[in-house]
Structures are given as structure tokens and as C-alpha cells.
Amino acid sequence: MTADTSVKLTYVVTWREISEGLKMQMRHSPVGRWCYRVLWGLCALLALLSVANLLTRGVDAAGLEVWRFLLTACLLVIAIRWLTALALLAYARHLGEHRVTVDADGISIVSERHTHHTNWGFYGRGAESRRVFVLLTPDVWGTGLMVLPKRGLSDPQDAERLRSLITEHLASGSPRRSARGSRSRDESLDAPASHPYTERQES
């Protein structure tokens, strides 16, 4: 059982961290995963059809409009997340430096203009990448989002303690690991959804 030892983070959030959190929100929420697969599946299909047409009928038959649509679809997938991250960055920077405490009771956030405490019951799933931990609400969109940058940890060992807290309170069983036995760079710590929430929390 994980010891009830708090983990503290201090940081000013960056655009890259928010963008990575949004990418993980798409990959680890049910609706996000569906949209992600449909968009990239459409891009792959158009690319395949264009290449097949090019090989069988020549360069002129590939169709400029098809290539233009393919490029636009790919750019939209990336641009939407980037623009959303910019909007959220303005809000996060307005709050100033974040001082976050994560313990058995939940997540407490103190910033220059905001103080907030969230119980673990608010969230339904967690995920981790190379730069951030992400907590998501259990609704199908994963609307409630909290990004916890790893660089905000004062001690590298705190990453494992924070991972253990998230696993204990949000995940059922042990986290999934890669084939080599090490933690993957973009790993889900999902737990079954219990309550639908729609409030967005960004830190």
C-alpha cells in the first residue's frame, strides 16, 4: 500500500506542457480516442488513394484538390490542439506560479490569484508522458483536465511517489508497462468511470 506522503510541485506552466496534456486528453478519453483514430485514418486513406492513383495513372491524375484536402486535414489535427493550448496558457499565466500538493486527500493548488482543493473522486483516470502527469475526469470527453509538469518536482524520486499516488487512487491494479518491462513514455493509468463531470481544471 502506498504511504500517505505528500508530493509537492512548484512551476509556471508552459505551452508545450499544456499542448502535451491536451494530446493525452485526446488519446486517453473515449471520445478523444475515437476522433483521433478517425482523423488520422482519413488522412491515411486519402494518402493511400492518392499514391495508388499516382502509380497507376500518372502525376496529373493524382488531383491537386485531393492533396490540398489531405494537407489541410493533417494541419487541422495539429493546429486545433496548438491553438487551444495557447488559449489555456493565457489563463494559466494569469494565475501565476502554481504550488501544488498531492496527497491521499486529493490535490491542493495555491497560485498568486487562486486557491483550490480537488478530491480524488473528481478524477477517473490518469496518464503519463515524458514531461507531464495528466488527470482526467471520467466523462467520455475527459473534460476536466489537470496537467502536472514533472519539472515542478523538487526531487526526481518524487515522480515515483506521485505515480504511486495516482495509481493507488485512480487506477485498478498495476500500471501497464512496455514489453521490456519499463514504463512507456505515454502511458495510461486509467480507472473505470464512476461519476460524470464537466468542469475543466487547468494547472
Side-chain angles (χ1 to χ4, degrees):
M1 181 176 179
T2 305
D4 291 336
T5 303
S6 64
V7 176
K8 298 183 183 299
L9 303 92
T10 303
Y11 58 88
V12 176
V13 73
T14 66
W15 173 84
R16 171 170 280 187
E17 290 160 350
I18 294 177
S19 179
E20 190 157 325
L22 292 172
K23 178 175 70 175
M24 295 175 69
Q25 180 188 41
M26 173 171 281
R27 289 184 176 179
H28 294 291
S29 63
V31 172
R33 281 194 297 266
W34 183 84
C35 292
Y36 187 87
R37 290 166 183 168
V38 167
L39 287 172
W40 285 112
L42 178 61
C43 291
L45 178 61
L46 288 173
L48 182 62
L49 291 175
S50 297
V51 170
N53 201 24
L54 179 66
L55 293 175
T56 57
R57 300 185 182 181
V59 177
D60 294 336
L64 180 61
E65 292 303 319
V66 174
W67 287 103
R68 195 173 288 170
F69 180 81
L70 173 62
L71 179 61
T72 301
C74 292
L75 290 177
L76 279 175
V77 173
I78 299 171
I80 289 174
R81 187 178 79 241
W82 286 3
L83 292 174
T84 303
L86 281 175
L88 291 175
L89 178 64
Y91 168 70
R93 288 291 173 85
H94 171 72
L95 296 178
E97 182 182 73
H98 287 66
R99 295 180 297 281
V100 180
T101 301
V102 183
D103 55 27
D105 295 328
I107 302 95
S108 298
I109 305 170
V110 178
S111 69
E112 297 171 11
R113 297 179 176 85
H114 179 71
T115 299
H116 185 75
H117 176 82
T118 305
N119 295 326
W120 286 109
F122 181 80
Y123 298 103
R125 60 181 69 93
E128 178 184 354
S129 71
R130 185 167 62 89
R131 293 186 181 88
V132 299
F133 289 94
V134 175
L135 306 180
L136 302 169
T137 49
D139 57 279
V140 294
W141 290 94
T143 312
L145 171 69
M146 179 177 287
V147 179
L148 299 172
K150 292 182 178 181
R151 64 179 175 82
L153 297 166
S154 58
D155 189 328
Q157 294 181 348
D158 285 346
E160 184 59 39
R161 291 163 56 199
L162 179 55
R163 187 179 298 117
S164 297
L165 280 168
I166 295 173
T167 301
E168 178 181 0
H169 293 284
L170 295 185
S172 56
S174 301
R176 293 197 300 269
R177 294 183 181 273
S178 64
R180 295 183 179 180
S182 61
R183 187 174 301 277
S184 63
R185 287 180 58 184
D186 189 354
E187 177 178 309
S188 172
L189 303 173
D190 292 351
S194 56
H195 302 288
Y197 295 93
T198 56
E199 178 182 353
R200 176 177 295 277
Q201 296 290 332
E202 180 65 43
S203 61

